[in-house]
Amino acid sequence: MATQQTKTERVQIRIDPVAKHMLERAAALANTTVSGFVVNNALEAADRLISKRERLAISQRDWDRFLGALVNPPKPSASLRRAFAAHERLISKTVGG
């Protein structure tokens, strides 16, 4: 059973009368309040956007290559070794070394 959280936050928006009427019609069709309709749909849109931006979908081939690199990592190249050395020098200066 879902627990109900206390609603303490407020969001205010201004819309034109045509948009308000459309939201009222949609809310009535969904058998909910305008606030409930707006919040539910905004949360669904927010969840889709967050999922799209924070998740990475890759092909099976790329997944296999990624796992392979984790299990058998390639030896660092010369440029990567130089980058690590530069990073170490930078960190030791900022830490006080």
Side-chain angles (χ1 to χ4, degrees):
M1 182 173 181
T3 60
Q4 185 164 348
Q5 295 182 345
T6 304
K7 297 176 183 174
T8 60
E9 300 300 315
R10 187 178 219 45
V11 174
Q12 295 178 335
I13 59 172
R14 294 203 178 273
I15 58 174
D16 62 72
V18 173
K20 183 179 180 200
H21 180 69
M22 184 179 234
L23 290 174
E24 289 170 338
R25 285 179 54 207
L29 291 169
N31 197 30
T32 188
T33 63
V34 172
S35 292
F37 181 81
V38 170
V39 168
N40 287 337
N41 283 280
L43 288 173
E44 287 175 12
D47 187 52
R48 281 192 309 273
L49 180 64
I50 291 167
S51 293
K52 183 178 179 181
R53 298 287 173 93
E54 291 184 349
R55 293 192 181 119
L56 175 66
I58 61 175
S59 69
Q60 185 64 48
R61 179 185 63 100
D62 290 340
W63 177 251
D64 292 341
R65 289 181 70 193
F66 173 73
L67 287 179
L70 288 177
V71 173
N72 297 309
K75 293 187 181 208
S77 65
S79 60
L80 183 58
R81 287 192 301 275
R82 285 191 302 272
F84 275 127
H87 175 72
E88 283 298 319
R89 286 190 301 275
L90 179 66
I91 294 301
S92 65
K93 287 180 184 178
T94 58
V95 174

